Structure formats: C-alpha cells, structure tokens
Amino acid sequence: MNLRPNLPPIPFIDLAAQRRRLGHAVDDAVTRVLNHCQFILGPEVRAFEAEMAAFCGAKHVVTCASGTDALVLGLRALGIGPGDAVICPSFTFCATAEVAALVGATPVFVDVDAATFNIDVKGIPGAVAAAKAAGLTPKALIPVDLFGLPADHAALAAAAKAEGLLILDDAAQAFGASTDNRRLGIFGHATATSFFPAKPLGCYGDGGAVMTDDDALADAMRSLRVHGQGSDKYDNVRIGLASRLDTMQAAVLSEKLKIFPEEIDARDKVARRYGEALADVAIVPSVPAGLTSVWAQYTLRLAAGKRDALAAALKAEGIPTAIYYPIPLHKQQAYKSYPVGQGGVAVSERLAAEVISLPMHAYLDAPTQDRIIDAVRRALKA
Ligand SMILES: *Cc1c(COP(=O)(O)O)cnc(C)c1O
C-alpha cells in the first residue's frame, strides 16, 4: 500500500515563489526602462552598481554581461595572458578554468578540501612548481567560493603573497556571503560574481559584475567592457569586448537586492534544518567558524555508489536532485591536457563521486522541507 499519495513535484529552485513575493516592483522597474529607452548602461546600471558597492563594501563595482565575462574582465585588467599560469581548483564549474584559457593563459589545477569543497591552500606551492616545470610564469590564483561558502581568504592572501600571485576571487555562487562579518567583494585584487538566474542573487537573464578596491583596475574594466574605449567612444586604447549588464537586468537586480538579506537568512534556516535532520545519514556541509554561506547549493556527501539510488528514490517522489560536479575539470576533454599541481587532485576526484545536492532556495517552506528530509532518510536507511 502506498501511504504517500502523489504529491506535486518540488522545484529545485523556486524562482516563481520569489517572483510572487516581489509583486509589481520588478514589473514597474522594467517598465521604467522600457519608457526611457536607455537600454545600454542606462541610469539603473549606475544605481545598481552603487547599491551593490554599499552592500558588499567594495569601492568599485563594474557590471557586465555574465559571470564568465566578469572573470575575463578581471584577468584582462590584471594583465594575464599567454605564457602565464592561472591556478584554480579542479572541483568547480568549468568557467573558472575556461577564462584562463580564453585570455590565452594556462589553467593549472589544484585540489580542494573535502570539508569545505574549497581550494586547499596547502596545494598552491605544488601548483606553482607544476606551472614552472611546464615553462609557465605563475601569475594568478582564482579561488572559488563554492556552493556559497567563502574560501579561506586569509590563508589565500598569505599564500599568494609568498608566491607572488594576484588573486581574482570567483564568487559567482557566493555574493552576499561573509568572512568575519566582511562580505565577499573585498578579498583579493578583484572579485567576480554572476547573476545567472539560479545563483543566490540572480537576474532574469545573464549578468555579472566585478568588484575591486583598486581604482586603476576598475578604470581598465570599465574600458574593457566597452571595446577598450578611451576618452570617448571613438578612442580605442585597448582590445576589449562588448559586455554590459542590460539596463533592464540592473533594474530587476535593484529590486531583488532589497530582499536579498532576508533571503540569505531564509536560506540559512533551510540549511540548518537540513543539517540537523540529516547529519546521521550523510555527511552534511559544515560552515567553519567566522564564515557565513549563502547556500547556492546544499550538498551532501555519501559513500560512493549510494548516490544514484538516492537520486532515483527521490525522483520517484517528485523531489529533484543535482550533481555538482560529476567530473572534475582535469578529467574533462577540454581541460585534461592542462597541468595539475604536484600534490595531485585526489580529493576532487573523490568528491565528484560522492556529492549530491538537494533543493535549496529562500522559499522552501517547512512542510516541503520535511517531505524532502523524510524521503532522504527513508532512502538512505533502506
Ligand atoms: C555560474 C558560475 C560562473 C559563470 O557565471 P555565468 O554568469 O554563468 O557566466 C563562474 N564560476 C562559477 C563557480 C559559477 O558557478
């Protein structure tokens, strides 16, 4: 007998619930843009950049067309190019390494820490050595604040200083998260983030931004996003790209930023409940002292081999899951020829076989969460 009648499917991320909460605010903001017709770098872009800077404490915010472009703008402004090595984790979304190759540099992979999923700072000297052995000049480090949790930025700053590396933080999943009450955006030389709809702060299309305290870097990125423009439109001082945040997306983001602190709290409550209810059946994510996460993903670790059965059992009950990431970058066809740090990337390989992410968003109510928790517990205890 089936004691669980067919319940409606649960969304992995519920953008519709957020849209209902925002009410007319977004529609009105978009309508204002439709009426003034300044679709590229209109007043809403400048306003949102100022709001974002106030929110995270960075001196400059330069918005652009995507998180990937934000990383490209950062690397280009930092002067990274052919012959340079850019050290980044293997356990991340492909864009982290992709951007190094896009600017003509070479990604060099370093391992991550199993407890935080973030870059293992101890692996950096081995990655520098591997880069040099490959005839490259180690120039930059792209740590990732994976799944919304800040990397160990104090340790990263020390390691980067010791090795003479620039830091471009990939906070695509973690804008709003903090370290010792300081939000991401102020660590390293520059910080990139993404407003892809599924990120904690998402727009209604593609978008991204780079944050920095460095005036010269900000100027270079503002020029790069408009074809390397100099003093005016027809003065071209560098090879750039066409990468702006649409005015309409800036208008949407200004409205979403207003409710973002409450959403971060709501996400944290969901994560705490998951953690309390599931710690005895899986390895639940932990947040080191002094850090906050914005929970871009809520990711469990299971003994390798148990994951597919859990995903199938949950799917049968209308509960979606996702695997971030099933293949570490050093094993991907596009990236497997790039160097790996001398310490190896064994943890990245192990995590790729163990991780599974549960539905996570700010509007996941307690009854829905209980349904997920109950299903996960039954599947893992069976
Ligand atoms: C999403 C993401 C990006 C790229 O952002 P887009 O806006 O999709 O280009 C880069 N790095 C990480 C870690 C991401 O999760």
Side-chain angles (χ1 to χ4, degrees), residues 66-68 71 92-93 95-96 144 170 172-173 194 196 199 206-207 325:
S66 71
T68 305
L71 289 163
T92 177
F93 181 60
T96 310
V144 181
D170 181 348
Q173 302 182 2
S194 164
F196 185 81
K199 309 283 177 173
D206 277 307
Y325 294 91

Side-chain angles (χ1 to χ4, degrees), residues 28-62:
D28 294 348
V30 170
T31 301
R32 285 195 293 275
V33 177
L34 291 174
N35 289 337
H36 70 48
C37 296
Q38 295 178 59
F39 299 119
I40 302 293
L41 296 180
E44 284 80 0
V45 174
R46 279 190 298 281
F48 175 64
E49 288 179 343
E51 290 155 13
M52 211 180 137
F55 182 85
C56 72
K59 186 169 177 196
H60 302 282
V61 173
V62 181

Side-chain angles (χ1 to χ4, degrees), residues 62 83 143 188 220 249 303 307:
V62 181
Q249 299 298 350
R307 170 169 86 182

